[in-house]
């Protein structure tokens, strides 16, 4: 703070940069979601091949990540043995590929606004899977919060004007696989001290996704593409779409690295409301009052969950700091005691 309570230039610059990172992430996330919807929806671009779209994304991301890591050396690759790669990265790649496949498929059947409402179940899925895999501890108050979020999403689903059971199953499956992937990252990689930024993550994971997606694509979508003469590559549409998807990964790294994961969670809520408004006003999707009431309840539950996580993190950091201060004080007292003892022995020897 400067004179008269004014903010210093450094603080103002930091605030402006933080808002800039948030704006970039919201814009790119917003663009990728709407762009995918545009490509896959039968009433828009009418190219309903989610496996093919995901394959294109992974192929583009793999190529760019390889160039940045191996050719231009923008980031250094992580030291990783083949054994660790097969046991850790490959399972994560499998989960990621299925999650992307299912989430992109849901855009064919559901509106953008309703998909965002269903995504509010992500904390519920992460917490539940964390308990099943013994990565998290069951707490009655947290579970009550999860139930409140679930009830809110259920109300939103009840009020959905164009409810499609198959689309809901696909999106819930995407949430379940993505939540499992996030928990497995903690178990398989983070616990071993390995952290991957978006570029190295795509460098290792994207090729796995391509392999896992190739076989279902070969049997499910390739025959359809061949028979319907849809097997042409629009470089402008798919090139810009893939570029946005890759840029979004970099924006995530920028936002979390320069601010915090909590900032990203709060920005995600803003993005969801913007998408719901855009879906209603521009795409002309029907958003009912019951939709909004249900999502509002789920939104409050997610907000409380993030608040509780932040409080737990602050308490943990405070305990760690207090323990460090205690250890330093103990060490200082021991040094003083040893000094007094040595001084006493020295006096005795002189006598």
């Amino acid at each position: 703070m400067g004179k008269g309570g004014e903010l210093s230039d450094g603080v103002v610059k930091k605030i402006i940069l933080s808002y800039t990172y948030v704006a970039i992430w919201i814009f790119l996330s917003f663009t990728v979601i709407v762009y995918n919807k545009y490509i896959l929806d039968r009433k828009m671009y009418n190219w309903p091949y989610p496996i093919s779209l995901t394959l294109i994304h992974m192929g583009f991301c793999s190529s760019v990540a390889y160039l940045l890591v191996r050719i231009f050396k923008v980031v250094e690759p992580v030291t990783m043995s083949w054994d660790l790669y097969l046991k850790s990265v490959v399972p994560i790649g499998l989960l990621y590929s299925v999650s992307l496949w299912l989430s992109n498929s849901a855009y064919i059947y559901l509106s953008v606004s309703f998909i965002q409402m269903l995504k509010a179940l992500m904390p519920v899925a992460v917490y539940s899977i964390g308990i099943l895999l013994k990565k998290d501890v069951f707490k009655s108050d947290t579970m009550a919060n999860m139930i409140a979020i679930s009830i809110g999403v259920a109300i939103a689903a009840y009020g959905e004007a164009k409810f499609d059971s198959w689309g809901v199953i696909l999106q819930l499956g995407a949430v379940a696989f993505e939540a499992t992937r996030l928990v497995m990252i903690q178990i398989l990689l983070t616990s071993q001290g390995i952290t991957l930024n978006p570029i190295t993550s795509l460098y290792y994971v994207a090729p796995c996704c391509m392999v896992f997606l190739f076989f279902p694509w070969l049997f499910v979508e390739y025959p359809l593409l061949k028979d319907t003469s849809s097997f042409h590559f629009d470089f402008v549409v798919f090139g810009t779409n893939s570029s946005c998807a890759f840029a979004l990964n970099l924006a995530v790294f920028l936002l979390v690295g320069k601010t915090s994961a909590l900032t990203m969670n709060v920005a995600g809520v803003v993005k969801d409301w913007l998408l719901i408004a855009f879906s209603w006003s521009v795409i002309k999707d029907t958003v009912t009052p019951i939709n909004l009431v249900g999502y509002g309840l789920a939104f409050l539950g997610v907000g409380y969950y993030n608040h509780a996580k932040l409080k737990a993190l602050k308490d943990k950091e405070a305990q760690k700091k207090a323990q460090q201060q205690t250890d330093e004080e103990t060490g200082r007292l021991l040094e003083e005691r040893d000094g007094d003892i040595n001084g006493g022995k020295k006096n005795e020897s002189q006598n």
Side-chain angles (χ1 to χ4, degrees):
M1 298 290 287
K3 294 181 180 180
E6 295 180 357
L7 294 174
S8 65
D9 292 340
V11 174
V12 172
K13 183 178 180 181
K14 187 176 181 180
I15 293 173
I16 293 174
L17 285 175
S18 296
Y19 278 107
T20 302
Y21 300 141
V22 169
I24 291 172
W25 179 80
I26 289 179
F27 172 76
L28 288 171
S29 181
F30 189 101
T31 301
V32 170
I33 290 172
V34 174
Y35 211 159
N36 287 351
K37 173 67 175 177
Y38 167 76
I39 292 173
L40 295 167
D41 196 291
R42 298 181 189 275
K43 296 179 182 179
M44 298 181 188
Y45 189 76
N46 191 24
W47 202 76
Y49 303 105
I51 306 177
S52 302
L53 182 63
T54 310
L55 263 176
I56 292 170
H57 285 174
M58 291 297 101
F60 181 87
C61 290
S62 296
S63 302
V64 176
Y66 179 84
L67 290 173
L68 293 176
V69 173
R70 291 298 182 185
I71 305 302
F72 298 108
K73 300 186 184 299
V74 175
V75 294
E76 291 293 328
V78 177
T79 303
M80 186 180 302
S81 65
W82 272 106
D83 182 64
L84 179 61
Y85 183 82
L86 293 174
K87 291 181 179 179
S88 300
V89 176
V90 171
I92 292 171
L94 174 60
L95 293 168
Y96 193 38
S97 61
V98 178
S99 172
L100 291 173
W101 173 8
L102 295 180
S103 63
N104 283 333
S105 299
Y107 285 110
I108 300 173
Y109 305 96
L110 302 176
S111 66
V112 170
S113 58
F114 187 44
I115 286 176
Q116 299 312 119
M117 295 177 189
L118 292 175
K119 285 181 179 180
L121 288 171
M122 184 61 73
V124 180
V126 171
Y127 181 67
S128 301
I129 293 171
I131 291 175
L132 289 174
L133 298 179
K134 298 181 179 180
K135 188 64 181 177
D136 216 329
V137 180
F138 177 85
K139 295 180 180 178
S140 57
D141 56 341
T142 304
M143 184 54 69
N145 186 21
M146 299 298 105
I147 293 173
I149 295 173
S150 302
I151 291 173
V153 174
I155 293 172
Y158 177 78
E160 177 62 19
K162 297 179 180 179
F163 186 89
D164 187 288
S165 300
W166 180 237
V168 171
I169 291 171
L170 289 171
Q171 184 56 46
L172 292 180
V175 169
F177 276 97
E178 177 63 10
T180 306
R181 182 183 76 92
L182 295 174
V183 176
M184 293 303 291
I185 286 175
Q186 293 182 336
I187 295 173
L188 298 177
L189 291 179
T190 308
S191 61
Q192 300 188 42
I194 297 176
T195 56
L196 301 176
N197 63 50
I199 297 177
T200 54
S201 178
L202 290 173
Y203 175 76
Y204 290 108
V205 176
C208 290
C209 292
M210 290 181 64
V211 173
F212 287 123
L213 289 168
F214 176 78
F215 294 101
W217 173 81
L218 191 63
F219 293 103
V220 175
E221 291 189 0
Y222 174 68
L224 295 174
L225 287 164
K226 191 176 180 181
D227 293 341
T228 58
S229 300
S230 299
F231 199 44
H232 65 280
F233 190 84
D234 190 327
F235 284 94
V236 175
V237 171
F238 295 111
T240 53
N241 179 249
S242 299
S243 299
C244 288
F246 184 81
L248 177 59
N249 281 279
L250 299 184
V252 170
F253 176 64
L254 187 67
L255 180 61
V256 176
K258 299 297 183 180
T259 57
S260 68
L262 181 66
T263 301
M264 181 176 170
N265 288 337
V266 175
V269 173
V270 176
K271 178 206 68 178
D272 290 344
W273 282 111
L274 288 174
L275 279 167
I276 291 172
F278 179 87
S279 178
W280 170 72
S281 61
V282 179
I283 304 179
K284 302 301 179 183
D285 287 332
T286 303
V287 179
T288 67
I290 299 178
N291 277 147
L292 296 177
V293 169
Y295 182 66
L297 177 59
F299 157 72
L300 291 175
V302 172
Y304 179 78
Y305 174 73
N306 289 332
H307 170 73
K309 285 186 66 177
L310 176 63
K311 186 176 182 300
L313 182 61
K314 286 184 175 179
D315 291 343
K316 186 176 180 180
E317 289 179 351
Q319 290 176 359
K320 186 177 180 180
K321 187 175 181 180
Q323 184 62 44
Q324 288 178 344
Q325 291 177 345
T326 302
D327 292 342
E328 290 175 359
E329 182 66 20
T330 302
R332 186 180 64 80
L333 291 173
L334 288 173
E335 288 179 359
E336 290 179 355
R337 188 194 67 178
D338 291 342
D340 292 340
I341 292 173
N342 292 333
K345 289 181 178 180
K346 185 177 181 181
N347 291 334
E348 289 177 0
S349 63
Q350 290 176 348
N351 293 332

